[in-house]
Amino acid sequence: MAKKQFKAESKRLMDLMINSIYTHKEIFLREIISNASDAIDKLAYLGLTDDTVKTRRGDFRITVTPDKEARTLTVSDNGVGMTAGELEQNLGTIARSGSLQFKQEMEKGDTSDIIGQFGVGFYSAFMVADKVTVITRRHGEETGHMWQSEGADGYTITDCEKDSDGTDVIMHLKPDTDDEKYGEYLETHRLQELIKKYSDYIRHPIRMVVEDYRQKEKPAGAGDDYKPEWETVQEEKTINSMVPLWQRPRSKVKQEEYDRFYEEKFGDWQAPLATITTSSEGTVTFKSLLFVPSATPYDFYTREYEKGLQLYSSGVLIMDKCADLLPDCFRFVRGVVDSPDFSLNISREMLQHTRELKVIAGAVEKKIKNELVKLMKDDREKYEKFWAAFGRQLKYSVVEGYGAKKDLLQDLLLFTSSKEGKLTSLAEYVERMPEGQEFIYYVCADDAAQAARLPQVERVADKGYEIFYLTGEEDQFVVNTLAEVSGKKLKSVADPDALPENDEEKAAQEKQAEDAKPVLAFVKETLGDRIHEARVSKILKSAPVCMTADGPMTLEMEKYFSRVESNPMMGPMKAQRVLELNPNAAPFAALKNALGAGDKDKAAKFVEILYHQALLIAGLPIEDAAAYTELVCSLME
């Protein structure tokens, strides 16, 4: 029979598909097996009304046969098969979808799931094969047909003998090169690996002859010193699992099964902290099985860490890590999403922009958030374990994107509270606020013990108000981004207006500030550019001194930027430091008396001591520790 030519556009599409659409050549096996599964599904559907098919339902199978001597890999199915006309239609025009046409012809309302796209997916075989032969016989016919092609040059279709319904796809593999070892697809261990990776949940058994080792029977009369002998045997085995765990109702699956699936699938030695299942039907139909790990992966906060969920189309793996399914805030989540609404042969570039993907990603984000809120409410101990592992990620995500995710994440945040030193959510804080309290109070420190001792905490704590102790380096950025929660502004205890003042209090403070002007001027003169300003403090109650900052840059921000790499064009980022002095404290009186007595040297030493004390209290470095030590010792002489 004369060779037929592909249409010009089909030639171009074949070249594009082989070189561009598929990133990995190994994907060809997934496509060919998916087509085989598709053919069996078609025959099963016909069996609803065809008694001759009903008796074969238990015998449906896909068989994978490597032949190293002939250098061929064959994938066979006992599905519906194809007529000569269907071979011409489906394989003579690249990207024609016989499955799609079949689905459109089915009765309305039928739920049969035909996922294959006979066309583009089939031609992925030419990524590894220099010749492809398809031998097929349509159910109900006696004659078989053979399609053969060596690539874009064309194809032939001839009649042939075939003793059963179904299709054999025979791929003659290309010669090995220095860069490509096509022979690996003839190794049974490699084929098993690819089947488990991409086609483990195909609903029909995928059978293959594999080598195994077994112990020989002990010979009769062998003594106690007999050493067992092993032999290599070949036997046909089902390679795939067939039934995805996420397709089963949650009520029918034990937690131990979920844990085992997670540990095996994602290589974790610990059971997951939480298991989240979703089943959605509507605009986009999908199921998901998600896991929150018990501990932070070792590379989680490195550039090497890759987020993403495994994406399946009706049990067939499309992408191992689909990053677009997970927002960065929940990048620690692992799991699978399975939807029949994705084409198997879709490229990664096309996948990123599909409407279905965005819908699923939005639903997944909402589901994870709701399940974490529920975990916080129902199992606080387990949630606090989660927070210890991934709280920093959530806080980073509040700040990212100019607070784009702050409304989503604020319900999940926890901070150490002055109330019994326990972790507390923002909602719990607001719920406990006494009548008349205007703000949610916080203070930044290296740890909770230090926070409780900070002098600026005293006046707010004495009012009986609860205070958040923010001890993470990112916490100042978090509260700045949140700004307010439930109509309550977050307020640093170091802010002058953290507590309301009456007119009498304001007048008294103004008088103190006026009286202290000569002292404050001397302090500024002594310290120079080391501080932005010296002022009479409104926030100190009994402590003599503290360091605060004016402007948007806080002391905590300064400390943070000093630990990370600064922009060489901008130089180090510094806060406008303010030295706050308590006019009612004894050290201020000593400083004032020294100035009044004309002893500026002694007064300057007092200023230096107060300045360094403020640095120490704030957790800021002392420029010259030796000089400060000498200064203190000189006053003891």
Side-chain angles (χ1 to χ4, degrees):
M1 185 175 182
K3 181 179 288 187
K4 298 184 179 182
Q5 296 298 312
F6 292 114
K7 293 181 180 180
E9 62 269 22
S10 293
K11 291 183 180 180
R12 290 194 298 270
L13 182 57
M14 179 187 288
D15 180 70
L16 174 67
M17 183 274 304
I18 291 176
N19 295 299
S20 302
I21 291 183
Y22 294 104
T23 307
H24 304 293
K25 287 182 170 59
E26 66 187 33
I27 217 77
F28 83 94
L29 187 61
R30 179 196 77 178
E31 300 294 339
I32 302 303
I33 289 176
S34 296
N35 283 337
S37 175
D38 179 23
I40 295 174
D41 286 341
K42 291 179 183 179
L43 186 59
Y45 174 74
L46 296 177
L48 297 176
T49 56
D50 187 338
D51 291 338
T52 63
V53 177
K54 290 179 181 178
T55 58
R56 295 173 49 190
R57 281 184 172 272
D59 192 41
F60 287 148
R61 64 168 57 190
I62 299 166
T63 305
V64 177
T65 308
D67 187 332
K68 291 184 179 180
E69 186 174 341
R71 201 171 174 80
T72 60
L73 177 63
T74 302
V75 177
S76 304
D77 68 72
N78 53 358
V80 70
M82 287 179 280
T83 64
E86 288 170 333
L87 274 176
E88 180 77 44
Q89 291 177 349
N90 295 338
L91 302 189
T93 303
I94 299 177
R96 177 180 176 84
S97 173
S99 299
L100 182 59
Q101 182 180 352
F102 182 88
K103 192 169 185 177
Q104 291 171 345
E105 291 173 354
M106 291 193 306
E107 294 180 4
K108 187 176 181 181
D110 180 72
T111 58
S112 180
D113 185 13
I114 307 297
I115 60 174
Q117 294 266 333
F118 226 130
V120 174
F122 168 78
Y123 278 88
S124 64
F126 284 99
M127 291 192 295
V128 300
D130 51 23
K131 180 180 180 180
V132 179
T133 301
V134 178
I135 299 174
T136 185
R137 192 182 87 179
R138 173 75 180 192
H139 171 67
E141 293 194 352
E142 297 182 357
T143 303
H145 309 282
M146 181 169 63
W147 181 97
Q148 285 187 309
S149 176
E150 295 182 4
D153 289 341
Y155 61 93
T156 61
I157 297 178
T158 58
D159 292 345
C160 68
E161 293 295 323
K162 193 175 189 308
D163 57 8
S164 61
D165 299 341
T167 301
D168 302 330
V169 178
I170 306 165
M171 293 159 280
H172 185 274
L173 300 187
K174 296 176 182 179
D176 289 347
T177 66
D178 291 339
D179 297 326
E180 298 288 350
K181 304 298 181 184
Y182 298 101
E184 68 174 312
Y185 302 118
L186 298 174
E187 301 292 341
T188 55
H189 70 276
R190 177 62 168 147
L191 293 170
Q192 289 182 81
E193 175 189 323
L194 293 178
I195 291 168
K196 292 294 290 183
K197 179 178 180 179
Y198 291 108
S199 306
D200 197 35
Y201 303 115
I202 288 286
R203 73 188 74 190
H204 309 293
I206 302 172
R207 306 281 291 176
M208 187 169 68
V209 175
V210 299
E211 289 187 348
D212 202 356
Y213 297 94
R214 70 182 178 190
Q215 190 174 323
K216 291 182 178 180
E217 290 187 12
K218 185 177 180 180
D224 294 338
D225 59 346
Y226 170 75
K227 295 182 179 180
E229 296 182 5
W230 295 80
E231 61 181 347
T232 302
V233 295
Q234 291 188 332
E235 57 181 325
E236 188 178 71
K237 287 186 175 181
T238 297
I239 308 301
N240 58 321
S241 303
M242 290 185 281
V243 181
L245 195 65
W246 58 84
Q247 294 288 358
R248 294 163 56 187
R250 177 147 191 172
S251 60
K252 303 294 184 181
V253 183
K254 295 180 180 179
Q255 186 59 47
E256 291 79 5
E257 293 179 88
Y258 284 131
D259 294 349
R260 185 166 58 252
F261 174 87
Y262 167 76
E263 291 169 14
E264 293 175 356
K265 192 77 170 176
F266 301 103
D268 199 342
W269 59 275
Q270 296 184 80
L273 191 69
T275 302
I276 304 170
T277 59
T278 304
S279 180
S280 176
E281 295 183 2
T283 308
V284 179
T285 298
F286 75 94
K287 293 180 184 292
S288 66
L289 175 56
L290 311 176
F291 302 96
V292 177
S294 293
T296 314
Y298 72 94
D299 60 344
F300 185 69
Y301 289 107
T302 70
R303 294 179 181 178
E304 287 70 33
Y305 182 82
E306 292 183 76
K307 71 166 185 173
L309 302 177
Q310 291 189 334
L311 179 60
Y312 287 80
S313 176
S314 298
V316 180
L317 182 66
I318 291 179
M319 190 181 297
D320 189 47
K321 287 185 178 178
C322 184
D324 293 321
L325 281 172
L326 271 181
D328 280 344
C329 57
F330 297 142
R331 63 199 297 265
F332 49 82
V333 172
R334 296 173 176 176
V336 301
V337 169
D338 192 346
S339 172
D341 294 334
F342 290 111
S343 168
L344 283 179
N345 51 40
I346 196 165
S347 74
R348 298 185 182 203
E349 290 74 20
M350 293 168 59
L351 184 63
Q352 291 171 0
H353 301 288
T354 59
R355 179 187 62 85
E356 292 84 359
L357 191 71
K358 292 180 180 178
V359 172
I360 294 175
V364 166
E365 178 183 81
K366 184 178 180 180
K367 180 67 173 180
I368 295 171
K369 187 313 186 40
N370 291 342
E371 287 296 318
L372 290 176
V373 168
K374 185 174 183 294
L375 182 65
M376 182 195 291
K377 180 181 178 181
D378 297 344
D379 193 336
R380 188 54 171 261
E381 182 178 353
K382 184 177 285 188
Y383 186 83
E384 290 187 7
K385 183 179 179 182
F386 157 77
W387 180 256
F390 301 108
R392 184 162 57 142
Q393 173 61 31
L394 296 188
K395 290 191 287 186
Y396 284 160
S397 299
V398 168
V399 178
E400 287 176 348
Y402 302 99
K405 296 289 186 183
K406 68 176 184 178
D407 291 338
L408 174 77
L409 300 175
Q410 67 180 24
D411 296 335
L412 302 176
L413 302 178
L414 292 180
F415 300 103
T416 302
S417 167
S418 59
K419 187 177 179 63
E420 299 178 357
K422 293 182 178 179
L423 287 171
T424 299
S425 71
L426 290 161
E428 290 165 345
Y429 183 105
V430 172
E431 187 178 355
R432 292 199 292 258
M433 287 175 64
E435 187 176 350
Q437 182 178 339
E438 297 182 26
F439 305 119
I440 298 172
Y441 292 108
Y442 70 88
V443 64
C444 295
D446 292 337
D447 56 60
Q450 182 196 20
R453 293 193 299 268
L454 288 175
Q456 51 266 49
V457 166
E458 184 180 8
R459 64 174 186 145
V460 175
D462 284 353
K463 290 285 187 181
Y465 294 150
E466 186 174 356
I467 302 169
F468 276 137
Y469 297 154
L470 307 188
T471 57
E473 63 179 13
E474 66 287 331
D475 286 347
Q476 180 69 72
F477 299 94
V478 172
V479 294
N480 286 359
T481 302
L482 290 173
E484 67 175 59
V485 174
S486 301
K488 300 291 185 179
K489 290 183 179 180
L490 287 101
K491 177 71 71 173
S492 170
V493 295
D495 287 352
D497 61 347
L499 291 176
E501 298 174 318
N502 56 40
D503 293 340
E504 184 179 341
E505 289 171 330
K506 288 180 181 179
Q509 287 174 351
E510 289 173 2
K511 185 177 185 308
Q512 283 183 327
E514 184 65 27
D515 293 342
K517 276 185 177 181
V519 177
L520 299 177
F522 179 79
V523 172
K524 172 61 177 169
E525 178 185 349
T526 303
L527 297 176
D529 292 339
R530 286 182 284 173
I531 62 169
H532 172 66
E533 183 186 353
R535 70 167 63 125
V536 168
S537 180
K538 294 182 179 181
I539 63 175
L540 295 174
K541 189 171 182 180
S542 61
V545 68
C546 72
M547 189 73 75
T548 60
D550 276 351
M553 176 74 71
T554 66
L555 296 177
E556 294 305 314
M557 290 179 177
E558 177 184 320
K559 287 191 280 186
Y560 170 80
F561 286 119
S562 70
R563 289 191 291 266
V564 300
E565 186 178 352
S566 16
N567 187 335
M569 300 296 292
M570 298 175 61
M573 303 183 73
K574 296 286 187 179
Q576 293 184 347
R577 296 182 179 182
V578 175
L579 186 67
E580 299 206 13
L581 302 169
N582 185 351
N584 301 314
F588 185 87
L591 173 58
K592 186 176 180 180
N593 291 338
L595 278 176
D599 192 349
K600 288 189 175 183
D601 288 341
K602 188 174 184 181
K605 290 182 179 181
F606 287 162
V607 170
E608 291 290 344
I609 289 176
L610 290 170
Y611 169 71
H612 284 84
Q613 285 178 334
L615 291 178
L616 290 170
I617 292 170
L620 293 167
I622 293 177
E623 294 93 334
D624 189 341
Y628 174 63
T629 302
E630 289 179 7
L631 175 63
V632 173
C633 291
S634 70
L635 294 176
M636 299 172 66
E637 293 176 358

